[in-house]
Amino acid sequence: MFKIPPVSAARLPELLRAMPKAELHIHIEGSLEPELIFALAQRNGLQLPYASVAELRSAYAFCNLQSFLDIYYAGASVLRHEQDFYDLAHAYLARAARDRVLHAEIFFDPQTHTARGVAIETVIDGLHRACAEARTGLGISATLILCFLRHLSEKAAFETLEQAEPLLDKIVGVGLDSSEQGHPPEKFARVFARCRERGLHLVAHAGEEGPPAYIWSALDVLRVERIDHGVQAVHDAALMQRLAHQRIALTVCPLSNQKLCVFPSLAQHNLGRLLDAGLAATVNSDDPAYFGGYINENFTQVFAATGLTARQAYQLAFNSFEASFAGNADKRLWQHQLKESFERFVEHDY
Ligand code: ADE
Ligand code: ZN
């Protein structure tokens, strides 16, 4: 890494906002803002159990993952038509582009929609159209990762994969999300093996609230390439060594962890400790409409709360490109742009 001079705390937010980055952990249903929930409810002739945007927003008080998921799945119920999914993804991508995201790998939860009678092609076609248009329209590269809901059965996951089979050229990989505790990765060993045979990339949420053992089994049983969250790894020294040696990326989501009480406060977040131990951590927004901020807000708030440095900012952004499923030529180009953005910032600053 090239030499990065110290940047004052006052100017660090400007650097964090300006630096190019990739977002690797964003649930598209978690970017559904209350205003869009109301607009889609009206467009689709649906009645909401909230009188106003403000009343809905005031219901966003969570104390753990499950209390959030209950509200998150209810919010997603306004998504019915291909255009709804397009509008949702387009809104996220336009917002991410403003945060200097050059590349996004977007999670979606098809089972949340197919359970309500929405066809999987309605979901995937709408999201994919927004991603395809974003490359020229917004200057952002975007791909899709289909997530299986782990609170549902292995059989339901296989059925979802079967429904998605004709559309697999529109997704880059599969993931595993929803309620973690009591739903270990090994429940989905055979589905992930099938996805691997199909040539899909593999990721899984593990060690968000759940134990380090779930990270081990995500790696060894599911054979995932990245761990989503993974912050509980610090409780297992052998696991930390393995993650560091194999450069297995963790897609960390600081504001999500704060809002779901994974840490008592943002100041106690362990992102710095993960970086110090040599892990390939990245910063992401998870469900920005629910957790109070998009990716730059995650960067600026966790840096302010924990005292991370410009060198660590560079490392996090570098890691985000390195850990992406983009081609090598794109990765090197984006990392070069990252270096240039730091050089420009330093030149104008000192
Ligand atoms: N789905 C959306 N956000 C999630 C999270 N933080 N953990 C697990 N599943 C999710
Ligand atoms: Zn997540």
Side-chain angles (χ1 to χ4, degrees):
M1 196 159 71
F2 72 102
K3 180 124 182 54
I4 296 167
V7 171
S8 72
R11 296 218 54 221
L12 199 47
E14 187 188 334
L15 175 64
L16 294 168
R17 289 189 196 104
M19 71 179 183
K21 52 189 76 77
E23 174 140 73
L24 306 178
H25 187 159
I26 163 76
H27 301 263
I28 201 64
E29 295 89 350
S31 72
L32 182 52
E33 293 286 348
E35 289 80 4
L36 189 53
I37 292 182
F38 270 79
L40 292 178
Q42 191 173 35
R43 189 159 94 187
N44 293 332
L46 304 166
Q47 192 68 42
L48 291 172
Y50 301 95
S52 66
V53 165
E55 196 182 309
L56 173 56
R57 226 181 257 284
S58 70
Y60 292 179
F62 320 112
C63 51
N64 57 27
L65 177 56
Q66 194 59 52
S67 60
F68 154 69
L69 290 171
D70 294 341
I71 286 192
Y72 160 86
Y73 293 130
S77 67
V78 297
L79 296 159
R80 299 280 160 110
H81 305 292
E82 198 249 25
Q83 188 64 37
D84 302 342
F85 291 93
Y86 172 89
D87 289 345
L88 174 64
H90 178 79
Y92 162 71
L93 288 164
R95 183 69 187 73
R98 292 209 302 276
D99 277 3
R100 287 287 282 148
V101 172
L102 304 187
H103 175 69
E105 297 184 358
I106 300 175
F107 295 150
F108 67 104
D109 290 338
Q111 289 159 295
T112 302
H113 313 298
T114 53
R116 298 181 286 107
V118 178
I120 198 164
E121 52 266 36
T122 302
V123 180
I124 296 181
D125 287 349
L127 298 177
H128 184 261
R129 184 159 62 88
C131 292
E133 285 182 17
R135 198 173 279 269
T136 43
L138 297 167
I140 178 170
S141 137
T143 53
L144 296 171
I145 295 179
L146 180 160
C147 285
F148 299 110
L149 298 180
R150 68 201 303 160
H151 69 273
L152 300 179
S153 65
E154 180 199 44
K155 181 166 169 283
F158 267 120
E159 283 165 9
T160 301
L161 180 58
E162 202 178 307
Q163 291 161 8
E165 206 78 53
L167 303 154
L168 290 187
D169 59 327
K170 294 182 175 167
I171 69 171
V172 72
V174 297
L176 186 64
D177 65 1
S178 192
S179 323
E180 186 179 13
Q181 303 271 22
H183 301 285
E186 44 273 37
K187 183 174 160 185
F188 297 94
R190 292 188 299 186
V191 188
F192 271 61
R194 179 79 55 82
C195 292
R196 199 160 176 271
E197 284 166 17
R198 295 282 181 277
L200 293 164
H201 286 289
L202 309 178
V203 300
H205 284 54
E208 177 183 14
E209 288 182 342
Y214 284 17
I215 303 178
W216 283 107
S217 56
L219 295 172
D220 292 333
V221 181
L222 300 188
R223 305 182 67 177
V224 300
E225 297 155 79
R226 298 194 300 245
I227 296 289
D228 297 314
H229 293 293
V231 290
Q232 303 300 337
V234 292
H235 302 297
D236 183 332
L239 177 59
M240 290 289 277
Q241 279 197 356
R242 164 140 187 222
L243 293 168
H245 281 140
Q246 296 190 353
R247 297 295 292 163
I248 293 160
L250 302 189
T251 62
V252 177
C253 306
L255 290 179
S256 165
N257 295 153
Q258 179 194 28
K259 290 293 184 314
L260 302 185
C261 309
V262 172
F263 297 95
S265 73
L266 201 55
Q268 283 154 281
H269 199 285
N270 64 14
L271 179 60
R273 192 166 155 200
L274 297 171
L275 289 172
D276 288 347
L279 271 65
T282 63
V283 166
N284 308 270
S285 68
D286 206 8
D287 301 287
Y290 293 89
F291 298 148
Y294 286 76
I295 192 167
N296 281 358
E297 209 51 42
N298 275 270
F299 270 107
T300 54
Q301 290 199 33
V302 76
F303 271 64
T306 64
L308 297 175
T309 63
R311 200 181 59 78
Q312 288 166 313
Y314 186 89
Q315 186 69 61
L316 287 162
F318 188 93
N319 292 347
S320 73
F321 295 125
E322 197 62 34
S324 76
F325 298 138
N328 277 332
D330 279 337
K331 289 188 191 190
R332 299 309 150 236
L333 173 67
W334 295 330
Q335 286 166 341
H336 181 70
Q337 290 175 347
L338 173 67
K339 186 163 181 274
E340 281 181 339
S341 92
F342 268 67
E343 285 167 349
R344 260 196 317 275
F345 186 86
V346 166
E347 262 169 38
H348 290 133
D349 214 35
Y350 298 94

